Every structure is written in structure tokens, then in C-alpha cells.
């Protein structure tokens, strides 16, 4: 599944998919450049460390800089909502975190990967040599 959003009124589409999914803040902050990719996972059960076989990859384009205040130092945060206003995309989380992406313009791409224990890029439920060619 691939969703592209460049209109702030369509952010609800991505929020609906990512709500209650978790992301690693250190992996976001380790990236530099105009494109930032955030990997989201669904947590299996309350506070378990086992991740779901489904991953969501949010690509944030045209990033000028990231502003962060991580007073809780939790590392893994859940998503409540995506908010865009005046050139700033905010990922609002359930735990206190200020995470702002200052962008030249709003352009987001959300991609879903299914795979479980198969190799990255493999077709869901298929192991071995059959791979996606649409990427």
C-alpha cells in the first residue's frame, strides 16, 4: 500500500493508519538530509518487545531541520496524530515529546511492508526467490 499526501486536509488518512503504532526516536534523529524515513510498528500486546510483521514507512520530504525535546527519554513513542501548520509537521505522541519537522512544503509518502519472517521486499507469505519488482 502506498499513500501520498501533500494537502494538510488529508493528514487524517495517514494518522488513521499510524495511530497507536510505535517508532524509535534515535533512528529518526540519526538521519540527515532533506528526506527522513520513519519506521512504525504495531506493538503486540501490552508493553511486549515483540514487533508485528507489518511495518509502515513514513517518508517526510523537503525537511529543512528537525526540532526535538525528549524530556522523557523513552526511545519508543506511539503516534496519536500528525499535525501540519505553517511549514511544520508535528508527530503528536501519547508520551510527552516535542518532535517537529520543519519542511519547505508538505509531501509525505506512507508505504506498508508485509513480511513476517520472510526476507525484506519479499511478497507477503512467499519465501525464497519471488520478490517485488514494483519498487
Amino acid at each position: 500500500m502506498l499513500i501520498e499526501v501533500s494537502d494538510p486536509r488529508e493528514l487524517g488518512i495517514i494518522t488513521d493508519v499510524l495511530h497507536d503504532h510505535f517508532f524509535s526516536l534515535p533512528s529518526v534523529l540519526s538521519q540527515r538530509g532533506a528526506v527522513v524515513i520513519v519506521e512504525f510498528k504495531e506493538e503486540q500486546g501490552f508493553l511486549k518487545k515483540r514487533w508485528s510483521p507489518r511495518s509502515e514507512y513514513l517518508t517526510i520530504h523537503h525537511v529543512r531541520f528537525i526540532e526535538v525535546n525528549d524530556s522523557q527519554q523513552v526511545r519508543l513513542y506511539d503516534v496519536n496524530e500528525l499535525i501540519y501548520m505553517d511549514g511544520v509537521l508535528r508527530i503528536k505522541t501519547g508520551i510527552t515529546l516535542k518532535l517537529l519537522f520543519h519542511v519547505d512544503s508538505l509531501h509525505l509518502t506512507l508505504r506498508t511492508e508485509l513480511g513476517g519472517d520472510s526476507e525484506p521486499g519479499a511478497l507477503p507469505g512467499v519465501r525464497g526467490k519471488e520478490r517485488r519488482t514494483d519498487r
Side-chain angles (χ1 to χ4, degrees), residues 28 31 37 71 81 89 92 102 105 109 111 126 129:
V28 172
Q31 299 180 57
I37 299 174
S71 60
E81 187 178 9
L89 176 69
K92 188 174 178 185
H102 294 261
S105 62
T109 307
R111 179 174 48 95
V126 177
K129 295 182 181 180

Side-chain angles (χ1 to χ4, degrees), residues 42-58:
E42 283 183 294
E43 195 172 30
Q44 298 292 307
F46 184 72
L47 295 179
K48 288 186 180 177
K49 298 289 182 187
R50 200 173 108 227
W51 293 107
S52 165
R54 187 175 99 184
S55 295
E56 313 288 349
Y57 296 91
L58 178 65

Side-chain angles (χ1 to χ4, degrees), residues 3 26 113:
I3 300 171
E113 287 272 322

Side-chain angles (χ1 to χ4, degrees), residues 3-21:
I3 300 171
E4 286 202 51
V5 168
S6 57
D7 183 338
R9 295 173 295 190
E10 296 175 344
L11 277 177
I13 297 167
I14 292 179
T15 296
D16 288 347
V17 174
L18 294 180
H19 188 267
D20 288 338
H21 283 54

